[in-house]
Amino acid sequence: MKNVKTFFSMFGKLVQILNRKQRRDGVILFFLLMIVSLLEMLGVGVIVPFIITMLEPEKIMTNQYIAPVIELFHIEGYGQIMYVISGGIIVIYVVKNVFILYVNYYQSKYRNRLEKELNVKMLSSYMKRPYTFFLQTNSAEIIRGVNGDIVNVVSVLDGYSSIFSEGLTCFVIGIFLICMNPFMALSLLVVAGITALMIILGFKGITGKCGVQTREAFAEKLKHMNQAVNGIKEISVAQRKHYFVQQFAVSAQKAAESNTTYLWISKTPSRLIETVFIGSLLIVVTISYGASGNNLEFVTALGAIGIAAVRILPSVSTLTNGMNGLVYMRPSLEAAYDNLMEADRYQHTVESVEIDSPDKMEFCDSIQVDHISWRYQKDLPLVLKELDLEICKGESVALIGESGAGKSTLADILLGLLKPESGRVLVDGIDIASIQSSWSRMIGYVPQMVFLIDDTIRQNIAFGISEEEIDDEKVWNALEEAQMRSVVESMGGLDVIVGERGIKLSGGQRQRIAIARALYHDPDILILDEATSALDTDTESAVMEAIDALQGRKTLIIIAHRLSTIRNCDKIYEIRDRKAFRKLSVF
């Protein structure tokens, strides 16, 4: 009973993952598979008149269904009947197999389209998750969710399709055989069914264990591969390449071992079922032959069962592999289902908090940080506790403090990435949580570690906008404000490729590209989080010139360690003891 509940529970989760169009196309596919099953039965059934014609052709001549056809086409003699029946069987098999090939194409097209759409849906669901999710989740797990889990989810659908189509095929052919010879058919079907059930139950535990191990090993492989590629500079300097390759090899070995076991299990049913089925068939035929008083009926039934066995044996094997496959893929299906449902719940929560607001809100007065408290997890101490501060329009405000004091955490709260445990951030008296979309258009952000995509300068500044929608004039204006225009012109213009992580640019150039990116949409507020801490003194001076030029025109919130960075700020707040303290001067 538990296995039956699991079977339907997995199917229910699979249906919930699919959208309306995917479900509709799935229903069409299942309908086509039903027709395939009926055609498979027809393929077995048409052999019977051929056998009868060979053994007792006079029975065909007097058959109440065939006799009118013979008379209509003026068929004479047994030879002509054989030609007609043979030709008819060939036509039926051609039509049957052409239709099955069409269904196979439709099924493959549906499967691959579904995999693509679910890949996109899964990535979209991850992107909807709160920023804290990414702080707590390894990127390898996300890649596994988008790629590995979705491949397995589609394989679950394949499993249900196989179980349905092959099960229905076995059923309809079984009914036909029972009508031909109840004893032989029922005996063989019962033996095949019991054998399949024993294989499914016998391998269930080890198959489920392989599914969990393979999924975990896949994430480990991705993690070690990402670490090896992303840290290649430090790894090369330290001469530690062998260590990271070895770490990858260990996880790859785990995946290979568990997958080998599963692949061996998937090959086993066909061998066992064939052995049991053929042995049972010989025993049943021997018993039936001695008990049969009608050689024609016996030979006809034996011929039909022989043809049916050729078709049913692969079906029974596919059924058992399909059931074992569901057990193997279950962890991936449940993980994908949980991820999608959690993303939807979070999105509904965000939408329920947000209020209608215009696309472009004007920042008119001030930002109030009102008694905010925040911690990374409930069991950890507070990072910020009832912190208050005020930032007026047009001011440049510095946030200073020791490492770990909570400066960057405060910046993330101001950006709307982190939701305070208590308290609010108000812009002109409105909670930013209720106008998240509008708030994101009012602010620009320059981080310490700049993220650049392996694309043109144009794409890196417009960032996330399609090529045809980018306004080059706005790009050049942003570069001008970031004091980067002349540099870009000397490099060859906006079409220059910056390389992965901006490897073709210097540190100062990457930082000014980040400033230009933040200015592209002309935000009212600019947040700079340790934007110059990784730069040398000369490069910092060049970047600070670009930042100082924005004073008075933009509201600047600058997080810094170096006092030279905040020399020209209007206000200075020191973050310590989880609170903000106004300082008149630090010089």
Side-chain angles (χ1 to χ4, degrees), residues 355-469:
I355 61 174
D356 292 333
S357 59
D359 290 340
K360 180 66 175 176
M361 286 185 64
E362 293 292 334
F363 174 37
C364 300
D365 187 21
S366 66
I367 301 169
Q368 289 284 148
V369 178
D370 181 25
H371 289 80
I372 63 168
S373 298
W374 194 86
R375 73 182 90 204
Y376 283 95
Q377 294 178 8
K378 289 185 177 180
D379 57 341
L380 295 177
L382 288 168
V383 177
L384 302 174
K385 182 178 180 181
E386 297 187 356
L387 183 146
D388 291 289
L389 59 84
E390 181 181 27
I391 302 167
C392 297
K393 179 179 174 64
E395 286 185 333
S396 55
V397 176
L399 303 177
I400 64 172
E402 296 180 355
S403 295
K407 303 185 299 298
S408 293
T409 299
L410 177 57
D412 288 342
I413 292 173
L414 289 170
L415 288 166
L417 297 175
L418 300 178
K419 182 181 178 181
E421 184 175 299
S422 61
R424 301 174 299 168
V425 177
L426 307 173
V427 54
D428 294 340
I430 302 173
D431 191 338
I432 64 170
S434 65
I435 53 166
Q436 191 62 58
S437 297
S438 298
W439 176 243
S440 65
R441 287 187 287 270
M442 296 168 65
I443 58 175
Y445 174 57
V446 183
Q448 177 182 0
M449 302 300 294
V450 181
F451 170 71
L452 297 181
I453 57 177
D454 188 6
D455 211 320
T456 63
I457 290 176
R458 176 188 291 106
Q459 285 287 1
N460 271 284
I461 292 175
F463 199 59
I465 300 176
S466 60
E467 187 80 31
E468 59 273 11
E469 294 179 349

Side-chain angles (χ1 to χ4, degrees), residues 53 101 110 119 143 169 183 185 199 204 227 246 307 311-313 400 402 420 447 464 482 510 528 554 579 581:
T53 302
L101 285 173
Y110 172 69
N119 281 146
I143 295 172
T169 297
F183 173 73
I199 291 172
K204 177 186 173 184
Q227 290 172 349
Q246 186 62 32
I307 296 296
R311 181 61 189 85
I312 285 180
L313 280 177
I400 64 172
E402 296 180 355
R510 287 196 292 270
L528 300 103
K554 303 289 182 185
K579 295 181 181 293
F581 298 91

Side-chain angles (χ1 to χ4, degrees), residues 108-125:
S108 298
K109 184 178 179 180
Y110 172 69
R111 183 195 188 283
N112 291 320
R113 185 177 69 246
L114 180 63
E115 182 176 333
K116 181 264 294 184
E117 292 172 352
L118 288 180
N119 281 146
V120 175
K121 183 177 181 180
M122 181 61 77
L123 179 59
S124 176
S125 75

Side-chain angles (χ1 to χ4, degrees), residues 157-353:
L157 179 64
D158 289 341
Y160 278 107
S161 298
S162 297
I163 291 168
F164 174 78
S165 61
E166 301 299 341
L168 185 59
T169 297
C170 290
F171 176 76
V172 294
I173 292 178
I175 295 296
F176 172 77
L177 294 179
I178 289 172
C179 294
M180 293 290 300
N181 189 312
F183 173 73
M184 290 177 65
L186 284 172
S187 299
L188 294 173
L189 289 173
V190 168
V191 169
I194 292 174
T195 304
L197 185 61
M198 291 178 64
I199 291 172
I200 292 168
L201 295 178
F203 286 124
K204 177 186 173 184
I206 190 170
T207 301
K209 184 179 179 181
C210 286
V212 173
Q213 290 176 342
T214 302
R215 185 171 181 271
E216 291 175 351
F218 182 73
E220 284 185 22
K221 282 171 60 180
L222 286 172
K223 181 181 74 173
H224 294 308
M225 182 176 66
N226 287 342
Q227 290 172 349
V229 173
N230 294 331
I232 188 62
K233 187 173 184 179
E234 291 87 343
I235 291 170
S236 298
V237 171
Q239 293 291 302
R240 294 292 185 270
K241 293 179 181 179
H242 176 74
Y243 170 79
F244 286 92
V245 171
Q246 186 62 32
Q247 290 292 99
F248 178 82
V250 170
S251 54
Q253 179 65 23
K254 291 178 183 176
E257 289 175 356
S258 57
N259 203 36
T260 297
T261 302
Y262 173 68
L263 290 175
W264 176 79
I265 290 173
S266 67
K267 303 291 184 184
T268 303
S270 60
R271 302 300 101 197
L272 291 176
I273 291 170
E274 180 184 284
T275 302
V276 173
F277 195 91
I278 295 301
S280 302
L281 177 62
L282 292 174
I283 294 172
V284 171
V285 167
T286 303
I287 296 173
S288 299
Y289 181 74
S292 175
N294 188 326
N295 286 336
L296 174 63
E297 289 184 3
F298 175 76
V299 172
T300 302
L302 181 60
I305 288 174
I307 296 296
V310 173
R311 181 61 189 85
I312 285 180
L313 280 177
S315 293
V316 176
S317 178
T318 301
L319 273 170
T320 55
N321 282 334
M323 292 300 295
N324 285 330
L326 292 184
V327 175
Y328 182 75
M329 306 298 178
R330 182 182 176 185
S332 293
L333 174 65
E334 293 184 342
Y337 174 82
D338 291 341
N339 280 329
L340 292 170
M341 294 302 108
E342 180 61 30
D344 285 344
R345 283 192 291 270
Y346 175 74
Q347 188 66 18
H348 290 323
T349 301
V350 171
E351 290 172 353
S352 67
V353 171

Side-chain angles (χ1 to χ4, degrees), residues 19 46 52 150 189 350 411:
N19 61 34
V46 293
I52 294 175
I150 291 303
L189 289 173
V350 171

